[in-house]
Amino acid sequence: MPKVKGGIGPNQRLRDERLRRGWSQQEVADLIGTTANNVSRWELGTTSPDPFFRAKLCDLFGLPAAELGLPPTKAFSTHLPSLQTASVIPVPHLKKAEGTFKETNNTGGKAIYDSAVPVVGRRALFGRASLLQRLQHILCETGPSTMLALHGLPGVGKTALATELAHNAAIRDYFPDGILWAALGTSPHSIRVLSRWGTILGISTAQAELLTDTAAWTQAIRSLIDARRVLIILDDAWQSQDIQPFLVGGPHCAYLITTRHPEVATRFAHNRVVLVEELSLDDGVRLLVELAPEMLASDQQILLDLVQAVGGLPLALVLMGNHLRVHTYSRQPGRMLRAIATLRNPEERLKLAQPGDPFDSPSTRSSSVVSLQTVIGVSDYALNKHNRQSLHALACLPPKPNTFSEEAALAIADIEGETLDTLCDSGLLESRGSGRYTLHQTIVDYARTQGTHLQAEKRIVAYFLAMVQSENKNGEQLERESENILAAFQLACQHKNWHGLVRGITAFAPFLASRGMYPIVKPYLLKARLALVQPHNASTADSASVYFHLGRIADFQGAYHEADELYATGWEYVQSSGDEELMVLLLAYWGEMLSNAGRYQRGEQVLLEGLQLSQALGYKQQACIFLKNLGEVAVSLGNYAQATSYHQQGLALARELEYWELVSILLQNLAAHQAWHGNFQQAEVSYRESLTYARNIGHLQRCSAALSGLGFALLRQQRFSEAETYLQESLTLARKIRSPVRTGCVLQNLGILKSEQGNYAAAEAFLQESLDVATAIGHTWLMSETLYYRGELLLKQQHIQEAQTVFEQASQQAREQKEQELIALTAFGLARVLWKRGEARQAEAFAEESLALFRKMEHEQAERVAAWLQGMH
């Protein structure tokens, strides 16, 4: 990574003064109009503030430069004198033209309205009402000599907003002496604009001939405006020095400038700087429909996609709306589809053009047509070659709302910190919080049409794959960088870096699994699998990893047959590769999958083999997983004492290792044991502790499971309202992470809750949905248990025949899978059904079987069955 040159050593004094006041770097930055990145660099000593910001720092802290550890500064001017302190430039005496002013306003003069103010249009009206109100408040209610600056991306509508304000009735009432407008652009014609203002103010031709330079014109107009209240609008300012000649107002005037450059805005307006954001999705759709009404009948998702494709940029939406209007007026479906297809293509969007418009900024108004390409190109070509190449390199990263760190930017573009500052000052690169940056979608689209950047792409792959494999990574960092990491995977595929891709996905897998995002990487793994069958790409270690993770995805989605085949193929490769750690992991998840699929004996064999291997190799963390999975298999086989032993051993080891994910899981398992014994209050405590760990590590799947278990424990305590709250939260998370098993389980619990409350219709709906989910993924245990609870619901409603049918289906599945708890539950269900049908002997036999199983498990249902049997006699 390139190092910043010109370091001057840490500035401890500046840092101490900031900390003494309890300010963060961001707060200091906001107070003086810069970025937290700059404040950080000044304190680290990698850069020194320029004279402008040295003066601002001294004012802020109330200390001389030396006491802030800053180099002494000479008398400094911002080059933007305040209206009260502007220096007086000697000019020839000017006589005010007689008859120019009407005695109708507070100054005795005639209101002046510059003819250069553009005609008002509709574009600024969409989604700008609150912003216009805010700007009006700043101009009219913050006192005299207001300086207000609007900045934002090219095409965001700054000129449109300024035009709207110039025509606003309240603004014109507050500035009764008029409005002056200057269109600056990249090469402002100062004397031409000032002479026009002079004509408006009444300067005669003879007087004008005496004014030979810009400074003379500035002073002359200042003397004519004098004490009048005028709003001066300077549109599309590119450099601070370009503004200087137009500071002609008196103490009652106000200024509004628009600029693409945040640095220019900050120097001019200090703390009255307003960022003009892009339109929201809703406002963007409204604008498209306004311009192309025929689109109102189209699929709403198409409109949302088009707005998102240009990041809500108003100019882009206007260009697209005009294009759609032309191609939809005939109402021909084929033509509409072709128009939409054109707009989905970034290169075609950039080329969309329309004749020059009064709302276009001065920097592009000279063009006969306006397009995104020309509007963005003006800013792009204002950069030098090095900065332009740096911008284009950063555009290889995903666009806004994604962000990237300063460290990543420096590494990927191979640049120094000052280049980032320049790109931010240009308005093309946006600062997003401390040490984070982003690029708008249209900027990215433009940059990517300017050529390929293979080296930058390779650096993205190297940087982010190294990040996910680093021992210092954490969940918060991976969350923040997830879009960039996935982009690195995509680029790794394009560059055929299969080894790097597989290693990266392997390292990223735990994070993906915890967020329910595992399926997102499936396309990359499939590409890697296809490539690895080629002889020159062959690698048994990589192939083993690919099949393992594909198996994990199938397992996660409940596709157990597919997962079994993938794990089996992965096992063949991993044995050849000799990767012991992967061997252990594969056995752990393979055994767990077999257990979930109801293949308990085979699953137990695989898990025992894995436990022995992990213990022999000293892999304690993997041993935790095996103990957890073996305990779950023991539960399914009815070996409850063994299950509790496995889970207690696993929990102790997980706590020792601070393996918080496993701590959370094992606490849930032990809570289930406590619930079986009827200790629902103790189970509640364990579930709550499990939930705390799950939330601390941000593991959504574990959170959903803990919430579901907690809800079940509460409903068994008749605390129905609390139970429903937790269960609904669990369901929301389960659906968010797209986990069918988790979704089916919590739907089942909601069905039980509604049944307990007597809301049989709702209970039936939840249980049916749970059964549908279980059937779709072939989850036999979930199917059997849900059928049992459905039978209980039918029995409560006295639907005896239907209840018997459902109990028999559940019993058959439970016996096939040797699920001891379910065998006992369904046997008791059948006993009660048969008793109601008068078949006492068969009823008693089923009840006796149920009681024997429950007693063996020390299950809380044993007392209930025993009491029922006693009641038979």
Side-chain angles (χ1 to χ4, degrees):
M1 181 187 305
K3 294 182 179 179
V4 178
K5 296 179 180 177
I8 55 177
N11 187 340
Q12 192 62 39
R13 290 185 182 180
L14 180 60
R15 180 176 181 275
D16 288 346
E17 290 298 331
R18 173 177 64 79
L19 295 176
R20 187 172 292 121
R21 291 160 176 79
W23 292 340
S24 67
Q25 291 180 341
Q26 185 63 58
E27 287 172 322
V28 171
D30 292 341
L31 288 168
I32 66 172
T34 186
T35 67
N37 296 336
N38 276 340
V39 176
S40 175
R41 292 180 190 133
W42 297 338
E43 291 183 358
L44 291 171
T46 54
T47 62
S48 178
D50 64 17
F52 174 82
F53 285 116
R54 284 205 300 276
K56 299 274 280 185
L57 287 167
C58 291
D59 289 342
L60 176 65
F61 289 104
L63 295 170
E67 292 187 29
L68 291 174
L70 302 173
T73 179
K74 299 177 182 178
F76 174 67
S77 167
T78 65
H79 305 296
L80 296 174
S82 68
L83 298 176
Q84 292 87 349
T85 61
S87 57
V88 177
I89 304 173
V91 295
H93 173 71
L94 295 179
K95 179 182 179 182
K96 295 180 181 178
E98 295 181 2
T100 300
F101 302 104
K102 295 189 297 182
E103 301 295 329
T104 57
N105 57 26
N106 61 348
T107 62
K110 178 182 178 182
I112 52 173
Y113 292 105
D114 196 336
S115 61
V117 175
V119 177
V120 73
R122 294 180 302 173
R123 188 183 307 175
L125 300 179
F126 286 88
R128 300 303 195 195
S130 61
L131 178 56
L132 284 166
Q133 187 175 12
R134 176 186 172 197
L135 299 176
Q136 177 185 316
H137 172 80
I138 294 173
L139 288 170
C140 298
E141 300 183 34
T142 54
S145 306
T146 297
M147 289 184 169
L148 171 63
L150 307 182
H151 75 94
L153 291 167
V156 81
K158 302 178 294 296
T159 301
L161 281 166
T163 300
E164 189 73 20
L165 289 167
H167 289 276
N168 181 280
I171 294 289
R172 291 198 171 199
D173 286 344
Y174 190 79
F175 297 98
D177 299 311
I179 295 175
L180 295 174
W181 182 286
L184 304 185
T186 54
S187 302
H189 302 286
S190 303
I191 292 181
R192 184 185 302 173
V193 174
L194 291 168
S195 64
R196 188 184 75 248
W197 287 0
T199 301
I200 295 170
L201 289 163
I203 292 180
S204 66
T205 302
Q207 292 171 325
E209 289 177 353
L210 300 175
L211 305 175
T212 57
D213 57 28
T214 301
W217 272 106
T218 298
Q219 182 58 37
I221 292 172
R222 183 180 292 126
S223 66
L224 287 173
I225 290 177
D226 195 18
R228 292 177 177 80
R229 184 177 290 175
V230 176
L231 174 62
I232 300 170
I233 301 177
L234 309 176
D235 185 37
D236 197 24
W238 279 64
Q239 298 184 68
S240 297
Q241 57 265 35
D242 292 342
I243 299 172
Q244 180 73 31
F246 303 102
L247 300 180
V248 296
H252 303 297
C253 292
Y255 293 91
L256 169 65
I257 75 160
T258 72
T259 178
R260 302 180 181 203
H261 308 285
E263 182 264 347
V264 172
T266 301
R267 285 183 180 275
F268 174 79
H270 307 304
N271 61 341
R272 291 195 181 119
V273 176
V274 175
L275 171 65
V276 181
E277 300 273 9
E278 305 82 70
L279 293 180
S280 68
L281 277 176
D282 289 344
D283 288 323
V285 168
R286 285 180 57 223
L287 180 53
L288 280 181
V289 172
E290 174 75 14
L291 294 167
E294 295 298 331
M295 291 299 295
L296 187 60
S298 63
D299 185 346
Q300 181 78 1
Q301 190 57 50
I302 292 175
L303 295 170
L304 291 171
D305 289 345
L306 291 176
V307 175
Q308 288 177 315
V310 294
L313 192 71
L315 174 60
L317 292 169
V318 169
L319 293 169
M320 291 199 302
N322 290 339
H323 178 80
L324 289 169
R325 184 176 65 253
V326 169
H327 291 280
T328 58
Y329 78 94
S330 63
R331 301 184 181 179
Q332 291 297 327
R335 187 174 185 182
M336 180 184 292
L337 290 174
R338 287 189 291 274
I340 292 170
T342 296
L343 297 182
R344 292 185 188 279
N345 185 319
E347 291 191 29
E348 295 298 326
R349 288 198 302 267
L350 288 166
K351 294 176 184 176
L352 289 177
Q354 65 181 26
D357 184 299
F359 281 99
D360 299 322
S361 65
S363 52
T364 56
R365 201 173 295 161
S366 58
S367 303
S368 58
V369 294
V370 173
S371 67
L372 280 177
Q373 195 155 336
T374 59
V375 169
I376 297 171
V378 172
S379 286
D380 187 48
Y381 281 97
L383 300 170
N384 62 33
K385 182 178 179 180
H386 169 73
N387 292 334
R388 191 180 310 128
Q389 289 176 340
S390 301
L391 177 72
H392 296 178
L394 294 176
C396 296
L397 290 164
K400 191 177 181 179
N402 177 65
T403 65
F404 49 88
S405 68
E406 178 170 329
E407 180 184 14
L410 299 179
I412 290 161
D414 193 21
I415 54 176
E416 299 176 352
E418 287 81 356
T419 301
L420 285 181
D421 297 340
T422 300
L423 293 177
C424 281
D425 290 346
S426 75
L428 296 174
L429 179 66
E430 299 176 63
S431 176
R432 277 292 180 269
S434 180
R436 306 292 296 180
Y437 299 88
T438 190
L439 282 169
H440 189 266
Q441 178 71 65
T442 56
I443 306 297
V444 168
D445 289 343
Y446 172 89
R448 290 179 181 178
T449 64
Q450 304 303 301
T452 57
H453 294 272
L454 294 178
Q455 291 305 312
E457 291 176 354
K458 289 180 179 178
R459 287 193 287 265
I460 288 173
V461 173
Y463 182 87
F464 287 107
L465 293 191
M467 173 185 290
V468 296
Q469 294 176 72
S470 168
E471 294 182 359
N472 298 322
K473 65 181 181 295
N474 56 59
E476 183 179 345
Q477 180 188 33
L478 294 179
E479 183 83 55
R480 191 168 51 242
E481 302 292 354
S482 59
E483 285 296 318
N484 298 316
I485 293 167
L486 293 174
F489 290 167
Q490 178 64 39
L491 290 171
C493 288
Q494 292 177 17
H495 292 281
K496 300 181 179 179
N497 182 357
W498 307 116
H499 180 76
L501 172 69
V502 173
R503 289 289 182 266
I505 290 177
T506 298
F508 200 38
F511 169 82
L512 293 168
S514 71
R515 266 64 170 183
M517 297 168 58
Y518 220 162
I520 291 174
V521 300
K522 186 173 181 179
Y524 307 123
L525 287 168
L526 291 175
K527 289 180 181 179
R529 182 175 69 174
L530 186 62
L532 290 171
V533 300
Q534 305 299 324
H536 57 282
N537 291 328
S539 166
T540 53
D542 286 345
S543 295
S545 187
V546 166
Y547 278 98
F548 167 66
H549 288 292
L550 285 171
R552 288 282 287 128
I553 293 171
D555 186 356
F556 181 82
Q557 296 176 318
Y560 296 134
H561 180 71
E562 180 186 357
D564 190 22
E565 292 181 344
L566 290 164
Y567 283 138
T569 305
W571 180 246
E572 293 176 9
Y573 278 111
V574 79
Q575 287 179 301
S576 300
S577 73
D579 186 335
E580 294 174 338
E581 184 174 1
L582 185 55
M583 283 183 192
V584 171
L585 276 176
L586 193 149
L587 289 171
Y589 288 109
W590 192 7
E592 180 182 46
M593 181 278 300
L594 290 166
S595 174
N596 288 337
R599 298 171 61 186
Y600 301 117
Q601 292 181 337
R602 173 64 178 140
E604 188 175 36
Q605 291 173 0
V606 171
L607 292 170
L608 286 170
E609 182 180 353
L611 179 61
Q612 292 169 3
L613 181 60
S614 64
Q615 289 173 335
L617 296 171
Y619 290 169
K620 290 185 177 182
Q621 193 173 68
Q622 287 79 359
C624 284
I625 299 173
F626 285 110
L627 288 166
K628 185 270 292 185
N629 291 342
L630 282 164
E632 291 171 357
V633 171
V635 167
S636 299
L637 294 173
N639 301 325
Y640 287 91
Q642 182 66 66
T644 301
S645 175
Y646 278 136
H647 288 155
Q648 287 175 341
Q649 290 178 60
L651 180 60
L653 185 55
R655 289 188 189 278
E656 176 191 330
L657 298 171
E658 298 185 349
Y659 190 177
W660 305 126
E661 180 184 349
L662 255 293
V663 169
S664 176
I665 295 172
L666 289 162
L667 281 167
Q668 289 174 39
N669 289 337
L670 288 170
H673 295 305
Q674 291 154 2
W676 293 327
H677 295 302
N679 300 326
F680 294 113
Q681 290 182 335
Q682 190 176 355
E684 177 189 346
V685 172
S686 297
Y687 279 126
R688 289 188 185 280
E689 185 181 359
S690 171
L691 180 60
T692 299
Y693 283 113
R695 282 176 168 163
N696 286 345
I697 62 175
H699 201 303
L700 301 186
Q701 187 175 12
R702 295 269 53 84
C703 286
S704 178
L707 286 163
S708 182
L710 178 56
F712 184 82
L714 290 168
L715 80 85
R716 287 303 190 206
Q717 298 175 61
Q718 306 292 301
R719 293 157 62 185
F720 296 132
S721 178
E722 292 177 78
E724 185 163 9
T725 298
Y726 287 116
L727 290 173
Q728 288 291 352
E729 185 180 352
S730 173
L731 183 60
T732 299
L733 284 178
R735 285 177 167 158
K736 179 179 180 180
I737 65 176
R738 299 176 184 175
S739 171
V741 176
R742 193 76 269 125
T743 301
C745 289
V746 72
L747 284 168
Q748 182 194 98
N749 281 345
L750 281 165
I752 299 168
L753 171 67
K754 292 302 176 184
S755 177
E756 291 288 317
Q757 292 177 307
N759 188 345
Y760 298 144
E764 172 63 28
F766 280 125
L767 291 173
Q768 184 59 54
E769 189 177 355
S770 174
L771 185 59
D772 290 342
V773 170
T775 303
I777 63 174
H779 199 299
T780 54
W781 167 80
L782 184 57
M783 282 191 282
S784 180
E785 189 173 58
T786 304
L787 281 169
Y788 161 72
Y789 282 113
R790 194 172 175 210
E792 287 284 345
L793 178 63
L794 291 167
L795 187 56
K796 278 186 178 182
Q797 299 173 81
Q798 299 301 310
H799 300 321
I800 307 304
Q801 182 58 53
E802 294 176 63
Q804 181 175 348
T805 301
V806 171
F807 280 137
E808 286 173 348
Q809 290 176 344
S811 178
Q812 181 181 350
Q813 289 185 0
R815 292 175 191 278
E816 287 175 357
Q817 303 302 323
K818 298 182 180 179
E819 285 275 6
Q820 300 302 300
E821 182 186 24
L822 281 174
I823 292 172
L825 287 170
T826 55
F828 184 46
L830 285 169
R832 285 171 291 148
V833 166
L834 292 168
W835 174 260
K836 287 183 177 293
R837 298 191 63 172
E839 300 178 32
R841 184 173 298 177
Q842 286 182 278
E844 187 173 9
F846 275 115
E848 292 286 0
E849 180 189 18
S850 176
L851 179 59
L853 288 171
F854 279 138
R855 281 177 171 167
K856 180 182 177 182
M857 303 175 203
E858 298 181 2
H859 200 287
E860 52 100 12
Q861 287 285 327
E863 290 184 11
R864 181 187 175 200
V865 179
W868 187 86
L869 272 168
Q870 187 175 2
M872 287 181 65
H873 305 290

PDB file of all heavy atoms in Angstrom, residues 645-660:
ATOM      1  N   SER A 645     -25.446 -35.336  28.493  1.00  0.00           N
ATOM      2  CA  SER A 645     -24.013 -35.451  28.751  1.00  0.00           C
ATOM      3  C   SER A 645     -23.205 -34.826  27.623  1.00  0.00           C
ATOM      4  O   SER A 645     -22.263 -34.058  27.854  1.00  0.00           O
ATOM      5  CB  SER A 645     -23.629 -36.917  28.920  1.00  0.00           C
ATOM      6  OG  SER A 645     -22.220 -37.066  29.055  1.00  0.00           O
ATOM      7  N   TYR A 646     -23.566 -35.167  26.367  1.00  0.00           N
ATOM      8  CA  TYR A 646     -22.865 -34.588  25.213  1.00  0.00           C
ATOM      9  C   TYR A 646     -22.949 -33.060  25.244  1.00  0.00           C
ATOM     10  O   TYR A 646     -21.943 -32.348  25.053  1.00  0.00           O
ATOM     11  CB  TYR A 646     -23.489 -35.083  23.901  1.00  0.00           C
ATOM     12  CG  TYR A 646     -23.027 -36.456  23.447  1.00  0.00           C
ATOM     13  CD1 TYR A 646     -23.953 -37.386  22.966  1.00  0.00           C
ATOM     14  CD2 TYR A 646     -21.680 -36.809  23.442  1.00  0.00           C
ATOM     15  CE1 TYR A 646     -23.548 -38.644  22.513  1.00  0.00           C
ATOM     16  CE2 TYR A 646     -21.267 -38.061  22.998  1.00  0.00           C
ATOM     17  CZ  TYR A 646     -22.202 -38.973  22.536  1.00  0.00           C
ATOM     18  OH  TYR A 646     -21.793 -40.214  22.087  1.00  0.00           O
ATOM     19  N   HIS A 647     -24.142 -32.542  25.485  1.00  0.00           N
ATOM     20  CA  HIS A 647     -24.328 -31.092  25.421  1.00  0.00           C
ATOM     21  C   HIS A 647     -23.637 -30.374  26.572  1.00  0.00           C
ATOM     22  O   HIS A 647     -23.107 -29.276  26.396  1.00  0.00           O
ATOM     23  CB  HIS A 647     -25.820 -30.768  25.385  1.00  0.00           C
ATOM     24  CG  HIS A 647     -26.465 -31.104  24.075  1.00  0.00           C
ATOM     25  ND1 HIS A 647     -27.799 -31.380  23.934  1.00  0.00           N
ATOM     26  CD2 HIS A 647     -25.935 -31.226  22.824  1.00  0.00           C
ATOM     27  CE1 HIS A 647     -28.069 -31.635  22.662  1.00  0.00           C
ATOM     28  NE2 HIS A 647     -26.949 -31.561  21.981  1.00  0.00           N
ATOM     29  N   GLN A 648     -23.615 -30.962  27.732  1.00  0.00           N
ATOM     30  CA  GLN A 648     -22.910 -30.338  28.858  1.00  0.00           C
ATOM     31  C   GLN A 648     -21.405 -30.319  28.616  1.00  0.00           C
ATOM     32  O   GLN A 648     -20.726 -29.329  28.911  1.00  0.00           O
ATOM     33  CB  GLN A 648     -23.247 -31.070  30.162  1.00  0.00           C
ATOM     34  CG  GLN A 648     -24.655 -30.798  30.660  1.00  0.00           C
ATOM     35  CD  GLN A 648     -25.027 -31.614  31.874  1.00  0.00           C
ATOM     36  OE1 GLN A 648     -24.399 -32.647  32.170  1.00  0.00           O
ATOM     37  NE2 GLN A 648     -26.064 -31.194  32.602  1.00  0.00           N
ATOM     38  N   GLN A 649     -20.872 -31.425  28.067  1.00  0.00           N
ATOM     39  CA  GLN A 649     -19.435 -31.450  27.719  1.00  0.00           C
ATOM     40  C   GLN A 649     -19.125 -30.383  26.676  1.00  0.00           C
ATOM     41  O   GLN A 649     -18.132 -29.652  26.777  1.00  0.00           O
ATOM     42  CB  GLN A 649     -19.061 -32.821  27.144  1.00  0.00           C
ATOM     43  CG  GLN A 649     -19.064 -33.975  28.137  1.00  0.00           C
ATOM     44  CD  GLN A 649     -18.733 -35.286  27.446  1.00  0.00           C
ATOM     45  OE1 GLN A 649     -17.653 -35.433  26.852  1.00  0.00           O
ATOM     46  NE2 GLN A 649     -19.665 -36.231  27.512  1.00  0.00           N
ATOM     47  N   GLY A 650     -19.997 -30.303  25.671  1.00  0.00           N
ATOM     48  CA  GLY A 650     -19.784 -29.321  24.604  1.00  0.00           C
ATOM     49  C   GLY A 650     -19.843 -27.901  25.119  1.00  0.00           C
ATOM     50  O   GLY A 650     -19.030 -27.053  24.731  1.00  0.00           O
ATOM     51  N   LEU A 651     -20.797 -27.616  26.011  1.00  0.00           N
ATOM     52  CA  LEU A 651     -20.940 -26.262  26.549  1.00  0.00           C
ATOM     53  C   LEU A 651     -19.718 -25.864  27.359  1.00  0.00           C
ATOM     54  O   LEU A 651     -19.212 -24.741  27.239  1.00  0.00           O
ATOM     55  CB  LEU A 651     -22.213 -26.167  27.394  1.00  0.00           C
ATOM     56  CG  LEU A 651     -22.495 -24.799  28.017  1.00  0.00           C
ATOM     57  CD1 LEU A 651     -22.654 -23.730  26.949  1.00  0.00           C
ATOM     58  CD2 LEU A 651     -23.747 -24.857  28.899  1.00  0.00           C
ATOM     59  N   ALA A 652     -19.228 -26.755  28.183  1.00  0.00           N
ATOM     60  CA  ALA A 652     -18.043 -26.451  28.996  1.00  0.00           C
ATOM     61  C   ALA A 652     -16.849 -26.142  28.101  1.00  0.00           C
ATOM     62  O   ALA A 652     -16.090 -25.187  28.335  1.00  0.00           O
ATOM     63  CB  ALA A 652     -17.732 -27.626  29.919  1.00  0.00           C
ATOM     64  N   LEU A 653     -16.669 -26.938  27.046  1.00  0.00           N
ATOM     65  CA  LEU A 653     -15.548 -26.730  26.135  1.00  0.00           C
ATOM     66  C   LEU A 653     -15.727 -25.435  25.346  1.00  0.00           C
ATOM     67  O   LEU A 653     -14.772 -24.680  25.143  1.00  0.00           O
ATOM     68  CB  LEU A 653     -15.432 -27.932  25.183  1.00  0.00           C
ATOM     69  CG  LEU A 653     -14.231 -27.961  24.228  1.00  0.00           C
ATOM     70  CD1 LEU A 653     -12.919 -27.839  24.998  1.00  0.00           C
ATOM     71  CD2 LEU A 653     -14.254 -29.250  23.404  1.00  0.00           C
ATOM     72  N   ALA A 654     -16.959 -25.160  24.906  1.00  0.00           N
ATOM     73  CA  ALA A 654     -17.225 -23.940  24.137  1.00  0.00           C
ATOM     74  C   ALA A 654     -16.966 -22.692  24.980  1.00  0.00           C
ATOM     75  O   ALA A 654     -16.419 -21.692  24.492  1.00  0.00           O
ATOM     76  CB  ALA A 654     -18.660 -23.943  23.620  1.00  0.00           C
ATOM     77  N   ARG A 655     -17.361 -22.738  26.259  1.00  0.00           N
ATOM     78  CA  ARG A 655     -17.091 -21.589  27.135  1.00  0.00           C
ATOM     79  C   ARG A 655     -15.591 -21.407  27.331  1.00  0.00           C
ATOM     80  O   ARG A 655     -15.081 -20.274  27.347  1.00  0.00           O
ATOM     81  CB  ARG A 655     -17.776 -21.787  28.490  1.00  0.00           C
ATOM     82  CG  ARG A 655     -19.301 -21.669  28.466  1.00  0.00           C
ATOM     83  CD  ARG A 655     -19.847 -21.681  29.897  1.00  0.00           C
ATOM     84  NE  ARG A 655     -21.284 -21.781  29.972  1.00  0.00           N
ATOM     85  CZ  ARG A 655     -22.142 -20.771  29.839  1.00  0.00           C
ATOM     86  NH1 ARG A 655     -21.674 -19.558  29.594  1.00  0.00           N
ATOM     87  NH2 ARG A 655     -23.445 -20.965  29.960  1.00  0.00           N
ATOM     88  N   GLU A 656     -14.879 -22.509  27.490  1.00  0.00           N
ATOM     89  CA  GLU A 656     -13.423 -22.445  27.652  1.00  0.00           C
ATOM     90  C   GLU A 656     -12.777 -21.793  26.433  1.00  0.00           C
ATOM     91  O   GLU A 656     -11.850 -20.980  26.565  1.00  0.00           O
ATOM     92  CB  GLU A 656     -12.872 -23.863  27.844  1.00  0.00           C
ATOM     93  CG  GLU A 656     -11.337 -23.933  27.917  1.00  0.00           C
ATOM     94  CD  GLU A 656     -10.822 -25.363  27.841  1.00  0.00           C
ATOM     95  OE1 GLU A 656     -11.548 -26.290  28.294  1.00  0.00           O
ATOM     96  OE2 GLU A 656      -9.711 -25.562  27.319  1.00  0.00           O
ATOM     97  N   LEU A 657     -13.270 -22.140  25.251  1.00  0.00           N
ATOM     98  CA  LEU A 657     -12.704 -21.613  24.002  1.00  0.00           C
ATOM     99  C   LEU A 657     -13.274 -20.250  23.630  1.00  0.00           C
ATOM    100  O   LEU A 657     -12.822 -19.640  22.663  1.00  0.00           O
ATOM    101  CB  LEU A 657     -12.982 -22.594  22.856  1.00  0.00           C
ATOM    102  CG  LEU A 657     -12.379 -23.996  22.980  1.00  0.00           C
ATOM    103  CD1 LEU A 657     -12.918 -24.899  21.879  1.00  0.00           C
ATOM    104  CD2 LEU A 657     -10.855 -23.924  22.920  1.00  0.00           C
ATOM    105  N   GLU A 658     -14.279 -19.779  24.385  1.00  0.00           N
ATOM    106  CA  GLU A 658     -14.999 -18.546  24.038  1.00  0.00           C
ATOM    107  C   GLU A 658     -15.579 -18.648  22.630  1.00  0.00           C
ATOM    108  O   GLU A 658     -15.578 -17.697  21.856  1.00  0.00           O
ATOM    109  CB  GLU A 658     -14.097 -17.313  24.187  1.00  0.00           C
ATOM    110  CG  GLU A 658     -13.608 -17.097  25.603  1.00  0.00           C
ATOM    111  CD  GLU A 658     -12.810 -15.819  25.778  1.00  0.00           C
ATOM    112  OE1 GLU A 658     -12.467 -15.195  24.750  1.00  0.00           O
ATOM    113  OE2 GLU A 658     -12.549 -15.448  26.925  1.00  0.00           O
ATOM    114  N   TYR A 659     -16.102 -19.818  22.348  1.00  0.00           N
ATOM    115  CA  TYR A 659     -16.720 -20.114  21.063  1.00  0.00           C
ATOM    116  C   TYR A 659     -18.207 -19.790  21.219  1.00  0.00           C
ATOM    117  O   TYR A 659     -19.038 -20.655  21.436  1.00  0.00           O
ATOM    118  CB  TYR A 659     -16.499 -21.596  20.726  1.00  0.00           C
ATOM    119  CG  TYR A 659     -16.858 -22.034  19.331  1.00  0.00           C
ATOM    120  CD1 TYR A 659     -16.635 -23.344  18.932  1.00  0.00           C
ATOM    121  CD2 TYR A 659     -17.429 -21.172  18.397  1.00  0.00           C
ATOM    122  CE1 TYR A 659     -16.950 -23.783  17.654  1.00  0.00           C
ATOM    123  CE2 TYR A 659     -17.750 -21.577  17.122  1.00  0.00           C
ATOM    124  CZ  TYR A 659     -17.514 -22.899  16.758  1.00  0.00           C
ATOM    125  OH  TYR A 659     -17.847 -23.325  15.497  1.00  0.00           O
ATOM    126  N   TRP A 660     -18.549 -18.492  21.075  1.00  0.00           N
ATOM    127  CA  TRP A 660     -19.846 -17.999  21.505  1.00  0.00           C
ATOM    128  C   TRP A 660     -21.000 -18.531  20.664  1.00  0.00           C
ATOM    129  O   TRP A 660     -22.114 -18.689  21.170  1.00  0.00           O
ATOM    130  CB  TRP A 660     -19.840 -16.481  21.533  1.00  0.00           C
ATOM    131  CG  TRP A 660     -18.740 -15.921  22.370  1.00  0.00           C
ATOM    132  CD1 TRP A 660     -17.792 -15.020  22.004  1.00  0.00           C
ATOM    133  CD2 TRP A 660     -18.453 -16.241  23.750  1.00  0.00           C
ATOM    134  NE1 TRP A 660     -16.936 -14.750  23.041  1.00  0.00           N
ATOM    135  CE2 TRP A 660     -17.313 -15.493  24.128  1.00  0.00           C
ATOM    136  CE3 TRP A 660     -19.035 -17.096  24.688  1.00  0.00           C
ATOM    137  CZ2 TRP A 660     -16.764 -15.567  25.405  1.00  0.00           C
ATOM    138  CZ3 TRP A 660     -18.486 -17.165  25.957  1.00  0.00           C
ATOM    139  CH2 TRP A 660     -17.369 -16.410  26.307  1.00  0.00           C
TER     140      TRP A 660
END
